[in-house]
Amino acid sequence: MAGLAHPKTAPSAGLDWIPRVWNNRLVRTTLYQAVLFGGVIWMFAYFTGNAVENMARLGITSGYGFLDRPANLPIGEGIIAYTPADSYGRAILVGLLNTFKVTIIGCVLVTILGVTLGIMRLSPNPLLSGLVQTYIEVIRNTPLLLQLFFWYVIVRQLPAPRQAFNPLDGVFISNRGVQIPWLEADAGLWWIASALGLAILGSLAYRRMAMARQARTGEFTPVLPLALVLLLVLPALAAWLFSVPIIPTIPELKGFNFVGGTSLTPEFTALLTGLTMYTIAFVAEIVRSGVQSVAHGQWEAARSLGLRDRRILRLIILPQALRVIVPPMTSTYLNYAKNSSLAVAIGYPDLVSVVNTTMNQTGQSVETIAILMAVYLSISLSISAFMNWYNRRIALTER
Amino acid sequence: MVLKMVLAAAAAAAVLAGSGAADAGATLDAIKARGSFKCGVGTGTPGFHYPGSDGVWRGFNVSICRAIAVALFNDPNKVEFVPFTAQQRFPALQTGEVDILSNNTTWTLTRDSQLGFNFGPTVFYDGQGFMVNKKLGVKSAKQLGGATVCVQPGTTTELNLTDYFREHKLQFTSVVIEQVAELRAAFFGGRCDVYTNDSSALAADRSAATNPDDYIVLPERISKEPLGPLVRHGDDQWFDVMKWTVYAMIEAEEFGIKKTNLDSFANTNVPQIKRLLGMEPGMGKALGLDDKFAYNIIKTIGNYGDIFETNLGAGSAIKLERGMNDLWTRGGMQYAIPFR
């Protein structure tokens, strides 16, 4: 019997390190993570290999050489000059700038209009807050794509160019967009633009000084008069110094379309309006919740100091509300940038539209999708980095 | 919890790997195993490919795919139609989402080589044209300088358009919209002065306007557009089945064999007809099909002329002339390779 008992215990004595190691927390978590990581790597390698193999089997050539080939694509509008003889690379750049254009203008509009709407939503006037609430509910609960089509159809219902509305001299509203007078493009305009930029920087610096002075001495220095003078005088001075000819070009109907001036195309107008109207509903709710998150005692304390409501909002409530507002605003801006890719549905030549066409004409699906992903990732990460920096700046410094 | 996640990830990876491996087999084998195939068509152009009010796909291009289904399975319904926009179609065929495209795709060098496709016989010889509103008083495409042009992206149409305007030193502004229905609405709504497409498609789109008589197609044809079905590289047998299905329909028209008079050829002495209709064996077998595949196609679908007339010609709302698409014996370009 003893002989039987011995072999029973001997192997368990030799292997009892297994449960000990297996139950070690560090070993287990490391092992699981290693397996998961290995699995992810394997999957990635598998799909890459699969794609490469299939492309080779179909005889599809890979690489980014196509970016230098002439694109031959028509692009309806762009910030930089483009002709179909230019390369695919430039065509994609035109699309990218169009995406930037709608995103940057949109984010500014969304901030201003959204904050206004959010504050109106808090108004004690039941008619005003009720109207805003209805707007928010309707807009937030219908699909964005549908809203874009709606705006595009609305803009398209405007009269033909030959019957265009002509509310002011040189302003035409038709189904080809809104045409307004503009300045003749001239290299000298850069001087004026630089002067304007300088004036803005100067005004901001002066405002900073004025605020520092007020904090130190309590004396209030008005900023607006000097800022206005700077903004008007500097560009004018630049125009005079460098004798930039200021020649306005005025749109006029020539043949099929308007020639001269500048225009907002129906596609851009519909996209900007649609995205903005949609996004401000979200911003309004973010602002409302932010303002409501500030303790009511702050209002009462400020009123007891004799401040008026508008100043309380601007100087006391909004700065504190910002801490709640900024993080969700980041994702709203990100959504705006990403939603702008719906432009493709209504014919605005944004990045997605141009890249899709490039993919189709060259057959380089993998490469073009990689470009798209890289670009949207960079845009999103930049917005996110900026907003995180801003968030840290306004965060409550706890001592 | 972590273990569960690992297992789930491993299972997902295994499933994905499995589906990837299934694609590696030859297209025709996979189709036969499945008992049907997938045919990519356009999202809706009257006459060529459009879903009827009963949800059944109809049209000239649809008939080509149905004929292939008859050749393979003797059943016109053993094919699934998947609509794609011009921009989506090529990746769909490349990745195996569909087995064939029959959607007015123009045969070009780049597509035949770099994109990895094989084009079958040209089933429709076309040329690109311009459609304008009559009110503009335009008589020729050379008067279109400064116009706004509606065009579908990802097509040879948009490339020819830029070529033509560059060649004639004319300026234009483009409006490109991917969905054909939206693009048509933009043109008929006055967003563009000009709509450019293959002239057959223009005629089809014009027939869909609320007031077709307000629009004219300008006389210029600015390009050659040989339109036909295409498959991806990698399965020559499947490519052969597609080619010879089309040739069978053209050959039948050449011999005057129609859907309606097919059975009157039962006692024919003409050897070519006997081979075509499978009374003398060998032709179908060589393709891996039933010897009577051509007979079945003509019986269920009809010959080339039949499908042209019903979908695009006198029997349709579009009323296109046969023109270049008539048989070579009548001065056109449709010419079948001998069944021998």
Side-chain angles (χ1 to χ4, degrees):
Chain A
M1 291 304 274
L4 278 173
H6 181 69
K8 239 184 191 174
T9 48
S12 69
L15 288 175
D16 69 348
W17 58 271
I18 293 179
R20 203 175 60 234
V21 171
W22 181 242
N23 287 331
N24 182 316
R25 210 184 138 123
L26 184 70
V27 171
R28 266 221 210 182
T29 49
T30 314
L31 184 71
Y32 288 150
Q33 288 185 28
V35 168
L36 189 63
F37 185 68
V40 169
I41 295 285
W42 176 78
M43 254 170 76
F44 191 74
Y46 174 80
F47 283 119
T48 312
N50 193 41
V52 168
E53 186 190 316
N54 279 321
M55 276 159 60
R57 190 167 51 80
L58 293 171
I60 300 173
T61 47
S62 187
Y64 286 90
F66 71 93
L67 287 176
D68 295 328
R69 293 210 301 268
N72 285 319
L73 308 174
I75 298 181
E77 57 182 300
I79 300 173
I80 54 171
Y82 169 85
T83 68
D86 288 327
S87 66
Y88 278 114
R90 190 165 176 97
I92 292 174
L93 183 65
V94 172
L96 177 65
L97 290 177
N98 279 338
T99 293
F100 280 159
K101 179 173 149 189
V102 77
T103 308
I104 292 170
I105 298 181
C107 284
V108 172
L109 281 180
V110 155
T111 313
I112 299 170
L113 296 175
V115 171
T116 315
L117 203 68
I119 288 167
M120 278 159 70
R121 170 83 179 82
L122 289 167
S123 157
N125 180 338
L127 185 64
L128 191 60
S129 76
L131 272 178
V132 173
Q133 189 182 2
T134 315
Y135 173 83
I136 291 174
E137 291 308 323
V138 169
I139 292 285
R140 285 210 306 180
N141 292 301
T142 46
L144 174 57
L145 186 59
L146 191 75
Q147 294 182 25
L148 288 182
F149 280 132
F150 170 80
W151 290 110
Y152 192 42
V153 169
I154 296 273
V155 209
R156 250 185 7 223
Q157 297 306 315
L158 291 165
R162 291 177 197 190
Q163 288 87 39
F165 290 134
N166 191 357
L168 289 168
D169 252 5
V171 177
F172 296 94
I173 302 172
S174 71
N175 63 9
R176 301 299 159 83
V178 181
Q179 327 286 326
I180 49 170
W182 199 246
L183 295 179
E184 186 94 58
D186 184 289
L189 280 182
W190 285 109
W191 289 113
I192 300 187
S194 314
L196 196 65
L198 204 67
I200 292 174
L201 283 180
S203 307
L204 285 178
Y206 184 68
R207 177 168 168 268
R208 227 185 143 90
M209 268 165 50
M211 278 167 73
R213 190 174 132 86
Q214 190 178 11
R216 206 172 54 242
T217 65
E219 275 174 54
F220 177 74
T221 327
V223 178
L224 199 64
L226 184 85
L228 277 180
V229 169
L230 275 180
L231 288 175
L232 287 176
V233 167
L234 275 185
L237 197 67
W240 178 72
L241 268 182
F242 299 99
S243 57
V244 178
I246 297 185
I247 309 162
T249 72
I250 292 159
E252 53 176 326
L253 190 61
K254 244 188 202 165
F256 295 101
N257 282 317
F258 292 95
V259 178
T262 193
S263 69
L264 293 173
T265 63
E267 288 76 25
F268 177 76
T269 315
L271 182 69
L272 186 70
T273 316
L275 281 176
T276 306
M277 297 299 262
Y278 179 76
T279 315
I280 57 172
F282 291 85
V283 176
E285 281 297 276
I286 293 170
V287 170
R288 179 193 58 75
S289 66
V291 170
Q292 283 180 341
S293 76
V294 178
H296 200 65
Q298 298 280 325
W299 283 94
E300 287 160 355
R303 281 197 191 111
S304 70
L305 288 175
L307 287 173
R308 275 170 298 152
D309 275 3
R310 277 174 64 178
R311 301 203 80 184
I312 299 176
L313 195 64
R314 194 164 66 81
L315 297 172
I316 294 164
I317 305 300
L318 278 183
Q320 296 184 76
L322 270 184
R323 289 170 196 143
V324 176
I325 291 174
V326 166
M329 276 304 277
T330 309
S331 45
T332 307
Y333 290 140
L334 290 179
N335 280 339
Y336 192 101
K338 287 181 285 184
N339 285 342
S340 74
S341 63
L342 288 172
V344 72
I346 55 169
Y348 177 69
D350 78 326
L351 181 71
V352 177
S353 164
V354 176
V355 169
N356 270 349
T357 308
T358 305
M359 166 162 71
N360 209 264
Q361 301 291 11
T362 61
Q364 311 285 356
S365 333
V366 176
E367 293 83 353
T368 46
I369 294 289
I371 293 179
L372 264 190
M373 280 166 54
V375 167
Y376 276 99
L377 195 64
S378 326
I379 295 180
S380 296
L381 290 180
S382 320
I383 294 180
S384 167
F386 172 77
M387 291 302 284
N388 286 342
W389 166 81
Y390 185 65
N391 193 30
R392 271 197 307 280
R393 217 180 76 107
I394 57 152
L396 188 64
T397 340
E398 290 182 25
R399 278 177 275 248
Chain B
M1 185 63 202
V2 179
L3 186 64
K4 268 189 196 159
M5 274 166 59
V6 174
L7 287 177
V15 168
L16 286 167
S19 67
D23 280 349
T27 313
L28 189 57
D29 291 346
I31 290 171
K32 282 182 174 163
R34 235 186 296 148
S36 76
F37 69 97
K38 288 188 180 177
C39 171
V41 290
T43 50
T45 302
F48 284 97
H49 32 234
Y50 59 100
S53 52
D54 49 3
V56 176
W57 281 89
R58 290 202 179 77
F60 183 75
N61 290 328
V62 170
S63 300
I64 304 280
C65 274
R66 290 206 190 278
I68 297 173
V70 171
L72 284 171
F73 305 112
N74 196 14
D75 182 349
N77 296 318
K78 290 281 170 69
V79 49
E80 192 185 320
F81 292 97
V82 189
F84 294 108
T85 64
Q87 290 197 326
Q88 300 161 338
R89 58 191 164 166
F90 295 141
L93 182 60
Q94 281 169 339
T95 56
E97 205 177 321
V98 290
D99 304 301
I100 181 172
L101 285 180
S102 176
N103 61 351
N104 282 0
T105 297
T106 306
W107 187 355
T108 67
L109 185 147
T110 321
R111 291 171 178 178
D112 206 341
S113 55
Q114 203 180 359
L115 269 66
F117 299 136
N118 277 327
F119 282 79
T122 297
V123 295
F124 197 98
Y125 290 97
D126 209 341
Q128 183 174 338
F130 298 104
M131 178 157 67
V132 294
N133 194 313
K134 274 183 188 161
K135 271 189 297 191
L136 291 176
V138 175
K139 294 280 174 279
S140 152
K142 299 206 176 65
Q143 296 170 286
L144 291 179
T148 305
V149 185
C150 273
V151 62
Q152 231 183 318
T155 55
T156 49
T157 314
E158 70 174 343
L159 305 181
N160 298 329
L161 170 73
T162 58
D163 282 357
Y164 183 82
F165 277 77
R166 270 161 72 189
E167 184 188 335
H168 292 90
K169 300 200 167 46
L170 301 171
Q171 295 294 317
F172 74 102
T173 316
S174 64
V175 174
V176 294
I177 304 182
E178 191 184 357
Q179 292 288 347
V180 183
E182 270 300 308
L183 186 68
R184 259 198 307 254
F187 171 68
F188 290 128
R191 172 65 185 95
C192 306
D193 305 300
V194 189
Y195 179 31
T196 183
N197 206 332
D198 298 341
S199 51
S200 61
L202 288 181
D205 286 335
R206 183 168 168 265
S207 76
T210 41
N211 35 4
D213 292 336
D214 287 359
Y215 300 92
I216 52 162
V217 177
L218 297 178
E220 283 88 352
R221 294 291 170 271
I222 65 165
S223 68
K224 291 187 286 188
E225 304 287 334
L227 312 178
L230 58 153
V231 297
R232 64 181 163 273
H233 283 171
D235 190 335
D236 293 346
Q237 277 70 40
W238 171 231
F239 181 36
D240 287 345
V241 169
M242 177 255 265
K243 277 195 292 196
W244 288 94
T245 300
V246 175
Y247 287 138
M249 295 167 91
I250 300 172
E251 184 85 336
E253 189 185 7
E254 210 174 311
F255 287 122
I257 312 171
K258 293 180 184 179
K259 199 174 176 176
T260 43
N261 65 4
L262 178 62
D263 288 320
S264 67
F265 289 87
N267 301 313
T268 181
N269 297 321
V270 187
Q272 290 101 315
I273 298 182
K274 287 185 129 175
R275 277 197 298 275
L276 176 68
L277 297 183
M279 289 176 266
E280 263 179 27
M283 295 297 113
K285 209 169 204 94
L287 292 167
L289 299 172
D290 187 342
D291 272 334
K292 294 191 83 72
F293 82 97
Y295 176 91
N296 294 338
I297 291 171
I298 298 152
K299 192 169 177 61
T300 353
I301 310 290
N303 69 24
Y304 179 86
D306 288 335
I307 64 167
F308 193 101
E309 289 309 321
T310 353
N311 293 303
L312 305 170
S316 71
I318 305 167
K319 309 216 182 307
L320 288 178
E321 300 283 322
R322 279 295 283 274
M324 275 193 288
N325 293 298
D326 214 333
L327 294 178
W328 65 288
T329 48
R330 294 196 290 254
M333 291 171 65
Q334 291 298 348
Y335 179 103
I337 308 303
F339 274 66
R340 181 171 289 283

